[in-house]
Amino acid sequence: MAAELDGGPRPDIGAQRAELGPLLGIALRPGESWYLIDSRWFKQWKKYVGFDSWDMYNVGEPNLFPGPIDNSGLFTDPEIQTLKEHLIDELDYVLVPTEAWNKLVNWYGCVEEQQPIVRKVVEYGLFVKHCKVEVYLLELKLCENSDPTNVLTCHFSKADAIATIEKEMRQLFSIPSEKETRLWSRYMSNTYEQVSNLDSTVQDAGLYHGQVLLIEVKNEDGTWPRQSFPAKSSTATSRNFATTSASSVNSYSSMSVSSAIANGDSNNSYGLTSSSLGRGVSGFSYSCRESPSQSQPGICGLSNLGNTCFMNSALQCLSNTPLLTEYFLEDKYEAEINHDNPLGMRGEIAEAYAELIKQMWSGRHSHVAPRMFKTQVGRFAPQFSGYQQQDSQELLAFLLDGLHEDLNRVKKKPYLELKDANGRPDSVVAKEAWENHRLRNDSIIVDIFHGLFKSTLVCPKCSKVSVTFDPFCYLTLPLPLKKDRSMDVSLVFAGLHRRPTQYRVVVPMMGAVSDLCEALSKLSKIPAENMVVTDVYNHRFHKIFQMDEGLSHIMPKDNIFVYEVCKSSEDGAECITLSVYFREKRIRQSSTSSGTVLCGQPLLISVPKHKLTLDHLYNVVLEQIGHYIKFPLTKEYSSVCLDRGICNGSSGSCEVEEMEHQDGDEEGREKASEPESCQSEGCAHDLLGKEGQHHKKHLFTFSLVNSYGTSERNSITTEGKLLKLNSYATLAIDLDPDTRKLLFDEQESQAFEKDASTLQSQKKKTNVALKDCIELFTTMETLGEHDPWYCPNCKKHQQATKKFDLWSLPRILVVHLKRFSYNRYWRDKLDTVVEFPIRDLSMSEFVCDPTADPYVYDLIAVSNHYGAMGVGHYTAYAKNKVNGKWYYFDDSSVSMASEDQIVTKAAYVLFYQRRDSKQHIAPSLPAESELASEECDGMDTN
């Protein structure tokens, strides 16, 4: 049966599922509007209607009713309603199309004065089209040429045309439509680039977060004000380098290095210079800043264009890979660009990378802003097109693959049939696999970055052994998982007028909630069986955990409060545990707005079932919050329950006054009667005295509400004088604003104590050697039940044992430390210190080819990640090939570094160079006859 609402009837839960299901599965289409909804509210709605087949418990229960849509958890400030940074899709919010949003709003409404969060679908990519919702709009700073100090901040979609920005600027600065204007991008106070194509999009124009745009109005005499300005930007050399020696990119010279290390300002971009490419291409230009004194080649920072530190870190590592950089600086790539490779990018990634490397190694710039390189990458890899933080290793993987396909010397790839070892010697199978790989993949990337794995699978039933050899471009090494984790939790004591106390407990990583309670019990001396663990969010209980639930359900950002409750009273009687929310009454601005707002810290209280009266409940709550009530109470307030409207009639039946809401649950609402005086004989009001003494005011009233605290249920029913309530029913305490301000100490209500455990330093982390990670990688494992292997003998999938071995290694060994771990509930970063050698890394013990030459490596670069997953900052350490010194690259800032600084818990991707690598390599593949006698690939295959 549908519930009637002001906006229209709300269908029953089955109909809601049926109506919303198809809408939530539709594909994104460019230009459409989608809406953000806080994932916590959306999960509550899914529970209420039983949207997920595996979560049908208590479907339709009134205490699961979600109430009005509440997105306050997505805002840094609910008043301004600015989105928090680094929100993650599905984890923090969900996206719904317009039709789904309209239905949900019609059924449930929105929190008072909260604006919808609507965003456009934007299409990315040149060949591979990719749609995504642009959650974060681009912030641009707008000003007039006549008054550049008056800067206005506006937000635009990356899909907006430049003409849209110009129209907005005309309105902001009151420029008549008949006046002719020009737009300029400003990169420093004295460096500009004209934005001439008004039909291009913000994305195509390469504008970044924080970009300054200036609008210039033509003079009455037909001239432009900026025509009289001196030249503002220096001109970079074109890529054919047929210019004077003063501008030659190959002019190596000494440099002066800034000792300051910046933290990666997203607006830290520098002056633009333009360069036209050879062969008529004019798409690449890089913002550069020429150093006051000559810089040394390669010691060149990269400006942060807006969360692009991940890209800068990866580029610095590749730039300081000598074999690759020499290949580009010597123009060997030009003869090998494969414009027709269907798996490539028409050679554009290779050309963009070459242009950037030449700028960085020109010796003329202290830093470069790689705007056009980023634009080119975003065209072919849409996941990198925006300005959200990404993963440096993922960019490296894309870039190495993209460069390989753009520079693949194989113009037409032959079809090759894979063969199993079938008992043949490993050396024969390995050589066959490598030669087959080279028949389809032959580039500078294969020459110096590719190695060969040996993979062995054994069937547990028939003992069939399958051996294959597969190429790899980098090693992804697992880190030993942490066995435990520390958690900060707050313990709320039952009564005793005690402040909540924060504790730091150490619990098993894969433990249960009961382990958390046991650990907390040892510190607090409160019995673990008297604890209830909750996740408190926006003044309500987002989740109340069961003792057997896994701790993996608790994310690091959750606010965990543990409440002391009594499961049974001293006389053994059963106790009822109730959730209690605080709400402040608000004057309704309109007939559709909510009448109360949640506030304060929720409570869990235990009351013996045989004492569950309103009087007793009132006193229990009063004792619980007593430490932040301003005692002594004024004469007009009572410390016992003397609520008007509590007692109704001589029968003693009890009801609770309820505020009206637009979003009541499906059971309907009843307004409690409010007699002016108590009509019940023997009422507690008589305790105040006889002879008609006036009743004192009550501190608060109760309402029976849903678990979200936003919708009243039917009045509290009674059996005699006892309240008829189930365990974990939710009550709301409605406070008058003046009463709350007069009697409640807000500062004290938020105060808490800190246990000594929070002051103790975190458990010292055990360092791990790089070789331990390699050993873990080569350890035999059994495949999971969801990832079985198809046994050709058994003719069915089996959970086989699998073992990886290294057969041959490349000249440049890229090691990716797998610091980020994922599960269904949370994402974590392992900050273990991995001790890796700067020089003399011997890999021979891990290579299973018995005839291989020794593999000894020296470190040449490290990509670092600081902070937590999804946020944080990337930097790089790299060794300059010209002077052999180490430098620290932090976006546009470059500083000297010492070897003892390099090994840290931030190390994420390591670049090692093989000692016996040749310093110069041939730009083309030798004839097939030479392959038999020479190791042109830099690897032992035998």
Side-chain angles (χ1 to χ4, degrees), residues 554-775:
I554 300 178
M555 294 183 285
K557 68 175 185 176
D558 290 342
N559 292 319
I560 300 301
F561 283 79
V562 181
Y563 289 81
E564 180 191 3
V565 297
C566 294
K567 302 297 174 68
S568 61
S569 60
E570 293 180 359
D571 57 5
E574 181 185 355
C575 286
I576 296 292
T577 300
L578 302 172
S579 302
V580 180
Y581 295 162
F582 292 92
R583 304 193 304 185
E584 183 178 307
K585 299 176 184 177
R586 295 283 177 88
I587 298 175
R588 297 192 316 221
Q589 301 298 320
S590 66
S591 60
T592 60
S593 63
S594 181
T596 56
V597 176
L598 287 171
C599 60
Q601 181 72 24
L603 300 176
L604 273 182
I605 59 173
S606 294
V607 182
K609 205 168 184 178
H610 66 281
K611 292 184 178 180
L612 192 55
T613 63
L614 278 172
D615 285 356
H616 186 71
L617 186 61
Y618 180 91
N619 287 326
V620 170
V621 172
L622 198 61
E623 182 181 8
Q624 188 71 34
I625 65 176
H627 67 281
Y628 53 85
I629 291 181
K630 297 176 182 177
F631 280 115
L633 295 177
T634 56
K635 290 182 179 179
E636 60 180 319
Y637 290 96
S638 171
S639 59
V640 294
C641 180
L642 303 174
D643 189 357
R644 287 187 305 130
I646 287 180
C647 300
N648 183 18
S650 59
S651 65
S653 64
C654 297
E655 295 181 339
V656 176
E657 178 187 12
E658 298 178 350
M659 298 293 292
E660 281 191 283
H661 284 254
Q662 60 157 350
D663 49 6
D665 60 47
E666 296 182 11
E667 295 181 20
R669 298 184 304 270
E670 296 179 13
K671 181 78 172 179
S673 59
E674 299 183 40
E676 286 300 316
S677 61
C678 178
Q679 305 298 320
S680 173
E681 290 185 21
C683 174
H685 289 221
D686 292 341
L687 295 175
L688 283 178
K690 300 176 181 178
E691 302 180 9
Q693 183 176 349
H694 292 292
H695 298 316
K696 294 184 179 181
K697 293 182 182 178
H698 54 277
L699 289 176
F700 49 77
T701 59
F702 288 104
S703 299
L704 182 62
V705 296
N706 66 344
S707 64
Y708 230 58
T710 52
S711 174
E712 275 81 354
R713 299 171 59 188
N714 280 352
S715 302
I716 298 176
T717 59
T718 62
E719 292 179 347
K721 290 187 177 181
L722 294 179
L723 302 180
K724 191 177 180 181
L725 294 173
N726 296 322
S727 198
Y728 292 104
T730 305
L731 299 175
I733 290 177
D734 294 326
L735 301 170
D736 179 84
D738 294 333
T739 304
R740 180 184 174 191
K741 184 177 180 181
L742 180 65
L743 296 178
F744 289 84
D745 187 332
E746 294 293 337
Q747 185 173 353
E748 180 62 26
S749 69
Q750 299 175 25
F752 60 91
E753 304 290 344
K754 279 201 171 189
D755 182 70
S757 59
T758 63
L759 306 177
Q760 296 174 358
S761 58
Q762 296 275 9
K763 182 180 177 182
K764 189 175 181 181
K765 302 183 188 306
T766 305
N767 293 356
V768 175
L770 180 62
K771 292 194 174 185
D772 295 336
C773 300
I774 301 173
E775 287 176 355

Side-chain angles (χ1 to χ4, degrees), residues 80-98:
I80 305 175
Q81 296 189 16
T82 303
L83 277 186
K84 292 178 180 176
E85 295 182 0
H86 312 301
L87 294 175
I88 300 174
D89 189 14
E90 299 296 337
L91 192 64
D92 300 304
Y93 64 85
V94 294
L95 292 161
V96 299
T98 300

